[in-house]
Amino acid sequence: MEACLKISDCLRISPSKFTYAGVKDKRSKSTQWFSVHKVEPWKLVMKTKSIQKVKVGNFTFKTEPLKLGQLSGNKFRIALRNVLGEDSLINQAMKQLKDNGFINYYGLQRFGNDKEVPTYEIGINLLLGKWKEAVQLILKPKTSDDPDSEVAKAKKIYFETEDVDKACEALDNGNSKCVEVRLLRGLKKENRNDFVNALENIPRNMRLLYIHSLQSFVWNSMVSKRLQVFGGKPVEGDFVLVDTKVEQTDEIRLDVEEDKEDEDCFMNKQEIKALTSEELPNYTIYDIVLPLPGYDVNYPEPMKQYYVEALEEHGLTLEMTKQKVKTYTLSGNYRKMLAKVNDLSWKIMRYDDPNENLIRSDFEELKGHPEPKGVKDGQYKALVMEFCLPPSSYATMVLREILKSDTSSSAQARQNDYHETQPSKKIIIESEQEQNEDKSEECCDGVQTNSLLSDAKKYEAFKNSIFNSVEVPKEKVEERVDKRKNEESDESSKRQRVEDAEQTRIVMDTPVL
């Protein structure tokens, strides 16, 4: 998405001229097809030379452009460095992943990079029509901000005074495209109290990310609840897709016009049916889908009340009534609970240089670079894996299934200095018997001190807030539900329940790493 914006900026054309089949990870070496309308190849080459870390080429002409969702999946090559586990145990873990797959959670990147203002909180206010509150959250100063930057200073001025003119004076006259600058200048241009039109200065794809983040947040909670209460087998009333050939995509396109009614123009509609008791033997847990909340979806009877409760916590209703401002309307869709890893292969490599390239990119292959080779008896060990995922599934969730650790970019970045300080988290695989003996130690054994898993309380709060956990005994679930009904409904009580709730995680008969 960022590459598309940069290329369109260099060519001085609208991003709507570009289309693609899916969005790729920002923190990666990615290769994908773009289609662009009526632009000569030489212009693409010459005009984009100034863009760092972006290369264009391999041009061809087609009669039809690419459309979002026209892909069967995404292929990943990932290297996990400084792995300390025994080779036999690593191979065992990878085989278990290949056989059992993973819970199809939305990854942390869906919820933004800042814990102080998660994107879904902004989305809640947009869905409720609380425009001022949404603007205030976007412009809220954060501890992660660079205090010397002009943007941080402008945000601080607006937060303390709500004087948009003074805030804009702190900005230079450059053409910064960051969301906060666009919003501040929009407030000045429109009217300091015209928050709806000021928000229009933020790219539509970004505004949609806010509200889709709320959808994802609720869906993550619901898939955990479904597995907690009903386990890993289909039950009567579960939903399955009628046409399994229709692939879901919930990625956001830049070529959607502002006057489109809602996000239907970039989400494939799927037909579902509820399972009867007679049909249960014909399906597995891998066929079950859960709805992403919206005004145009149905809810499975076994889960309907849980959806009601989850949405009511945010001031929303199951009907998700259409907004007056069409951009902030959600029709909803369906997503599979579990996903399988396709074409999984892996190898274990030794290396000495922590900065050694362990994976050859497609671009490097085109330039004739050789495939990286390991160093015999090298100081460090790496696990290099290659696999394919269905559209809209997250590779970070595959890594979470392997490592059982925090998958945020900041947590991963902290492990890059293993060659200078203490080693990174050791990969540990326990037998099923060991898992059953002491699950409380699974989360902390062999983990470096700055890992989320080294603090049990933080780990539980993390799992509850984004993923929740699963595989809770039925009596515990019933006890928790009764307790929940008797507790106060104020916001502080809700948050305390999230922090204190007893949780365990789904094991799915896989070894722990």
Side-chain angles (χ1 to χ4, degrees):
M1 193 177 290
E2 182 180 346
C4 181
L5 290 171
K6 287 182 177 180
I7 294 172
S8 64
D9 189 50
C10 286
L11 294 172
R12 298 183 181 278
I13 62 176
S14 170
S16 64
K17 295 285 185 180
F18 292 85
T19 59
Y20 41 82
V23 179
K24 306 305 176 189
D25 293 299
K26 181 178 180 179
R27 296 173 61 241
S28 67
K29 295 180 181 179
S30 298
T31 305
Q32 72 177 116
W33 285 99
F34 270 68
S35 59
V36 58
H37 186 60
K38 291 186 177 180
V39 176
E40 295 176 275
W42 71 266
K43 285 186 178 179
L44 282 166
V45 174
M46 298 302 295
K47 297 287 187 180
T48 59
K49 282 186 175 180
S50 61
I51 306 178
Q52 294 184 354
K53 300 180 180 179
V54 173
K55 299 292 182 182
V56 298
N58 201 22
F59 302 105
T60 185
F61 294 90
K62 300 289 183 180
T63 56
E64 296 291 333
L66 285 171
K67 295 181 180 179
L68 197 69
Q70 286 183 329
L71 75 168
S72 59
N74 291 295
K75 184 176 183 178
F76 296 89
R77 280 174 284 182
I78 298 174
L80 296 178
R81 298 171 184 260
N82 195 34
V83 178
L84 304 180
E86 296 294 332
D87 292 1
S88 60
L89 299 181
I90 295 170
N91 290 327
Q92 179 190 352
M94 297 303 292
K95 186 178 184 303
Q96 292 288 348
L97 171 66
K98 185 175 183 178
D99 293 340
N100 296 317
F102 60 101
I103 304 175
N104 199 23
Y105 287 124
Y106 285 96
L108 284 180
Q109 57 267 52
R110 190 77 168 186
F111 308 100
N113 297 322
D114 201 295
K115 296 178 181 178
E116 295 177 63
V117 185
T119 52
Y120 69 84
E121 288 190 3
I122 300 171
I124 291 169
N125 284 286
L126 292 175
L127 290 169
L128 292 173
K130 296 182 177 180
W131 317 118
K132 181 177 180 179
E133 290 82 353
V135 168
Q136 289 175 332
L137 282 174
I138 296 171
L139 295 176
K140 180 181 177 180
K142 307 176 185 68
T143 55
S144 59
D145 292 339
D146 178 2
D148 296 324
S149 71
E150 293 174 340
V151 175
K153 292 176 182 177
K155 287 166 61 177
K156 187 173 186 294
I157 292 171
Y158 182 79
F159 182 76
E160 294 175 347
T161 67
E162 294 192 4
D163 190 328
V164 68
D165 293 323
K166 284 186 178 180
C168 287
E169 288 175 3
L171 301 169
D172 61 17
N173 294 321
N175 295 317
S176 174
K177 294 181 184 271
C178 78
V179 168
E180 294 91 343
V181 172
R182 285 175 179 263
L183 183 53
L184 283 170
R185 288 176 175 163
L187 285 168
K188 183 176 182 179
K189 179 179 68 175
E190 305 292 343
N191 183 299
R192 67 185 61 212
N193 294 317
D194 188 354
F195 300 105
V196 175
N197 285 321
L199 285 163
E200 296 291 312
N201 289 271
I202 299 175
R204 185 175 187 271
N205 64 293
M206 188 67 238
R207 286 179 278 137
L208 289 174
L209 282 175
Y210 293 139
I211 58 176
H212 281 262
S213 177
L214 182 275
Q215 269 188 324
S216 305
F217 184 85
V218 173
W219 191 92
N220 275 4
S221 299
M222 291 299 98
V223 71
S224 292
K225 180 63 71 175
R226 165 61 180 77
L227 291 167
Q228 284 177 354
V229 178
F230 300 105
K233 294 182 179 180
V235 297
E236 186 174 358
D238 272 339
F239 284 173
V240 296
L241 297 180
V242 172
D243 184 0
T244 57
K245 294 181 180 179
V246 178
E247 296 286 352
Q248 179 205 340
T249 179
D250 49 14
E251 295 166 337
I252 295 172
R253 263 172 51 176
L254 300 180
D255 62 336
V256 177
E257 299 297 332
E258 287 285 347
D259 59 353
K260 294 291 185 183
E261 183 172 347
D262 54 37
E263 86 285 7
D264 293 347
C265 46
F266 58 87
M267 293 183 74
N268 295 330
K269 276 299 175 184
Q270 299 166 298
E271 185 181 355
I272 51 91
K273 71 173 183 178
L275 294 181
T276 63
S277 58
E278 293 78 13
E279 293 175 308
L280 294 181
N282 301 327
Y283 294 90
T284 71
I285 192 67
Y286 298 95
D287 299 311
I288 308 304
V289 297
L290 286 177
L292 290 149
Y295 68 83
D296 195 27
V297 295
N298 296 314
Y299 295 88
E301 280 301 322
M303 292 296 299
K304 192 170 184 178
Q305 185 57 35
Y306 295 116
Y307 271 94
V308 170
E309 294 173 3
L311 290 170
E312 285 180 349
E313 285 189 12
H314 304 298
L316 298 167
T317 64
L318 205 63
E319 293 75 20
M320 298 288 283
T321 309
K322 290 185 179 182
Q323 264 279 5
K324 292 181 180 179
V325 182
K326 293 178 180 178
T327 300
Y328 310 116
T329 295
L330 291 172
S331 65
N333 212 331
Y334 302 93
R335 178 180 176 88
K336 285 191 174 182
M337 290 173 48
L338 273 70
K340 282 290 189 78
V341 178
N342 301 317
D343 302 324
L344 175 64
S345 63
W346 65 91
K347 61 182 178 181
I348 297 170
M349 295 176 61
R350 286 280 179 181
Y351 64 101
D352 288 322
D353 184 355
N355 297 313
E356 180 72 24
N357 187 16
L358 302 180
I359 299 175
R360 181 176 63 172
S361 68
D362 292 336
F363 182 63
E364 290 166 342
E365 183 176 353
L366 287 171
K367 293 180 69 176
H369 291 191
E371 183 74 29
K373 295 182 179 180
V375 177
K376 186 177 180 181
D377 300 325
Q379 181 179 359
Y380 306 109
K381 181 194 293 186
L383 171 62
V384 180
M385 65 186 78
E386 185 172 318
F387 55 87
C388 295
L389 293 179
S392 301
S393 290
Y394 286 74
T396 50
M397 294 299 96
V398 174
L399 299 182
R400 176 178 178 268
E401 185 65 28
I402 299 171
L403 299 174
K404 300 295 189 293
S405 64
D406 185 354
T407 56
S408 67
S409 57
S410 58
Q412 298 303 310
R414 286 195 297 271
Q415 299 188 45
N416 288 337
D417 59 353
Y418 59 86
H419 57 290
E420 298 176 355
T421 57
Q422 60 183 342
S424 299
K425 180 175 77 69
K426 182 178 180 179
I427 289 185
I428 297 176
I429 304 177
E430 301 173 4
S431 67
E432 289 186 26
Q433 180 179 358
E434 289 171 333
Q435 291 177 24
N436 295 330
E437 286 176 355
D438 191 359
K439 291 189 177 183
S440 64
E441 294 181 359
E442 291 175 355
C443 299
C444 302
D445 195 5
V447 180
Q448 62 186 109
T449 55
N450 65 357
S451 168
L452 182 67
L453 301 182
S454 64
D455 188 317
K457 289 185 178 180
K458 288 183 179 180
Y459 180 67
E460 296 302 325
F462 164 77
K463 290 193 298 183
N464 287 328
S465 65
I466 297 300
F467 302 114
N468 291 328
S469 281
V470 289
E471 198 178 317
V472 178
K474 185 175 180 181
E475 59 270 23
K476 284 289 184 182
V477 174
E478 294 173 349
E479 177 184 337
R480 196 182 311 163
V481 171
D482 292 337
K483 180 182 178 181
R484 179 176 181 176
K485 290 180 179 179
N486 294 329
E487 287 180 339
E488 297 179 359
S489 60
D490 60 271
E491 187 64 24
S492 62
S493 176
K494 291 176 183 175
R495 291 186 177 180
Q496 191 62 43
R497 287 204 306 274
V498 169
E499 292 175 0
D500 295 342
E502 176 189 358
Q503 300 283 345
T504 58
R505 59 173 173 72
I506 189 168
V507 177
M508 295 289 289
D509 296 323
T510 60
V512 178
L513 297 180

